[in-house]
Amino acid sequence: MAIIKFNGEYFSVKDTLNCGQVFRFTDAPGDKFIICTTDKCAVCYNKGDYAYIECNDGDEDYFFNYFDLERDYSQIVCYVQQKGIKILSDAVTKGKGVRILNQDKTEMLFSFIVSQNNNIPRIKKIIDSLCKKLGKKHSFNGQDYYAFPTVQALASVDEDFYKSIGLGYRAGYIKATADLINNGYSLEVLTALSTKDLKEELKKLHGVGPKVADCVTLFGFHRADSFPVDTWIEKLYYQDFSGTAKNRNHITNYFLQEFGDYSGYIQQYLFHYKRNGAD
DNA sequence: TGCCAGGCGGCGT
DNA sequence: ACGCCGCATGGC
């Protein structure tokens, strides 16, 4: 067992998990969280002035990168506060421990196809059953968990299977995308593209529109010049920014112009603030 | 119960 | 390019 100990000022495990970027985590006793990603697992928590990550020996580098620990978030928070926008300052004061995780591209793509027009508890449930039914069983800390399915496993079942676990009309999207990637389509080669081109490329996939593409560029490729607009952010834009743009694409463009390469971080602070309350 | 959820594809204009 | 509609399911 390895333990990563990291200054907790800009790393709140709880806040990082509760801003909608990740779905495979559960509560554990003692205000801890069990986090699964790809085929790995860790127990994470804050205690005193520090955040702790307990993982298997050999996974330290993976989780150091996963939690984006090489990045200086004080500089990001400073930029956000210097904008002088009240709701932003409030959001970042409340959520300065939010980090953007470096997650697996494939896992993000399938997870956010599942997420469309869906609610977070249900998204978590569906992804959990995908892993249980199609993922490889592992154990960590004496407890069983399941890896995110390989694309081979995802492609090995038919659309009816996906309907049977509650995916509804998204079943066809998952199946089509699984087949495509299993037949050789590579997400990794897309890394060479600019964020704009990357988004356009992702949107060609069945079931991937502007919002899902923005989530994949932000959470899977760590492109912070992305600003996903979902129903929460849309409400916030009209209520708290007195926005006048008429559709979600325009809202995205508004925020990108305002916040440039910091857009993705700001989106997370705002989403966290809006969904978890201002208290 | 009815509205809503980290929207998208298809279609008409 | 833009707007509208149907869509599966279940959380609350």
Side-chain angles (χ1 to χ4, degrees), chain A residues 96-147:
Chain A
K96 72 190 255 194
V98 169
R99 310 180 74 87
I100 295 188
L101 303 173
N102 289 301
Q103 300 189 74
D104 179 74
K105 298 172 177 61
T106 307
E107 187 170 332
M108 288 300 95
L109 176 59
F110 286 104
S111 297
F112 279 95
I113 290 176
V114 172
S115 81
Q116 64 174 76
N117 200 30
N118 211 340
N119 57 65
I120 290 177
R122 197 159 167 269
I123 296 163
K124 290 178 71 166
K125 195 175 288 185
I126 290 172
I127 293 174
D128 185 57
S129 60
L130 273 181
C131 295
K132 278 201 173 78
K133 288 176 187 285
L134 297 176
K136 188 171 176 221
K137 186 172 174 180
H138 295 269
S139 92
F140 176 76
N141 229 7
Q143 213 166 357
D144 289 342
Y145 71 96
Y146 294 83

Side-chain angles (χ1 to χ4, degrees), chain A residues 243-279:
Chain A
T244 55
K246 278 181 262 162
N247 66 46
R248 290 186 177 190
N249 285 328
H250 290 163
I251 297 174
T252 291
N253 290 334
Y254 164 79
F255 283 112
L256 288 179
Q257 277 199 337
E258 284 294 308
F259 303 131
D261 291 342
Y262 291 84
S263 297
Y265 300 103
I266 288 173
Q267 198 272 3
Q268 287 290 267
Y269 295 131
L270 291 174
F271 186 86
H272 175 265
Y273 187 68
K274 200 67 178 174
R275 275 222 70 215
N276 296 288
D279 53 350

Side-chain angles (χ1 to χ4, degrees), chain A residues 26 53 59 79 89 110 117 132 153 177 183-184 201 203 224 273:
Chain A
T26 55
I53 304 160
D59 286 349
Y79 171 86
S89 301
F110 286 104
N117 200 30
K132 278 201 173 78
T177 302
N183 288 330
E201 208 53 40
K203 277 167 61 182
Y273 187 68

Side-chain angles (χ1 to χ4, degrees), chain A residues 158-178:
Chain A
D158 60 16
E159 194 173 323
D160 284 340
F161 166 82
Y162 289 119
K163 286 184 176 166
S164 78
I165 61 168
L167 274 161
Y169 71 93
R170 309 170 194 83
Y173 303 157
I174 298 287
K175 176 58 177 165
T177 302

Side-chain angles (χ1 to χ4, degrees), chain A residues 30-256:
Chain A
D31 280 328
K32 300 183 178 183
F33 298 90
I34 301 170
I35 300 168
C36 297
T37 156
T38 59
D39 60 350
K40 301 186 190 306
C41 189
V43 172
C44 307
Y45 51 93
N46 286 80
K47 193 172 174 184
D49 292 334
Y50 293 91
Y52 297 86
I53 304 160
E54 301 176 1
C55 63
N56 282 326
D57 291 326
D59 286 349
E60 301 95 322
D61 289 350
Y62 179 91
F63 281 106
F64 194 89
N65 175 64
Y66 179 80
F67 286 104
D68 205 31
L69 297 184
E70 77 280 8
R71 197 177 311 274
D72 177 11
Y73 277 72
S74 70
Q75 189 262 333
I76 296 169
V77 168
C78 185
Y79 171 86
V80 174
Q81 279 170 339
Q82 156 272 321
K83 296 298 283 185
I85 300 172
K86 184 172 188 318
I87 188 176
L88 258 187
S89 301
D90 290 349
V92 83
T93 299
K94 173 116 195 313
K96 72 190 255 194
V98 169
R99 310 180 74 87
I100 295 188
L101 303 173
N102 289 301
Q103 300 189 74
D104 179 74
K105 298 172 177 61
T106 307
E107 187 170 332
M108 288 300 95
L109 176 59
F110 286 104
S111 297
F112 279 95
I113 290 176
V114 172
S115 81
Q116 64 174 76
N117 200 30
N118 211 340
N119 57 65
I120 290 177
R122 197 159 167 269
I123 296 163
K124 290 178 71 166
K125 195 175 288 185
I126 290 172
I127 293 174
D128 185 57
S129 60
L130 273 181
C131 295
K132 278 201 173 78
K133 288 176 187 285
L134 297 176
K136 188 171 176 221
K137 186 172 174 180
H138 295 269
S139 92
F140 176 76
N141 229 7
Q143 213 166 357
D144 289 342
Y145 71 96
Y146 294 83
F148 194 84
T150 62
V151 285
Q152 292 92 330
L154 289 165
S156 73
V157 294
D158 60 16
E159 194 173 323
D160 284 340
F161 166 82
Y162 289 119
K163 286 184 176 166
S164 78
I165 61 168
L167 274 161
Y169 71 93
R170 309 170 194 83
Y173 303 157
I174 298 287
K175 176 58 177 165
T177 302
D179 285 342
L180 185 72
I181 297 181
N182 192 44
N183 288 330
Y185 182 91
S186 168
L187 289 175
E188 287 302 327
V189 304
L190 302 182
T191 305
L193 299 177
S194 70
T195 301
K196 194 176 173 200
D197 291 344
L198 170 61
K199 178 176 176 180
E200 290 312 306
E201 208 53 40
L202 290 169
K203 277 167 61 182
K204 294 178 184 170
L205 303 175
H206 200 44
V208 178
K211 156 63 171 61
V212 171
D214 282 332
C215 285
V216 176
T217 62
L218 181 56
F219 304 132
F221 291 77
H222 211 100
R223 299 298 177 88
D225 52 340
S226 306
F227 197 96
V229 176
D230 69 332
T231 105
W232 297 94
I233 293 288
E234 184 178 20
K235 275 180 210 157
L236 173 142
Y237 170 76
Y238 291 119
Q239 292 171 2
D240 302 310
F241 282 79
S242 306
T244 55
K246 278 181 262 162
N247 66 46
R248 290 186 177 190
N249 285 328
H250 290 163
I251 297 174
T252 291
N253 290 334
Y254 164 79
F255 283 112
L256 288 179

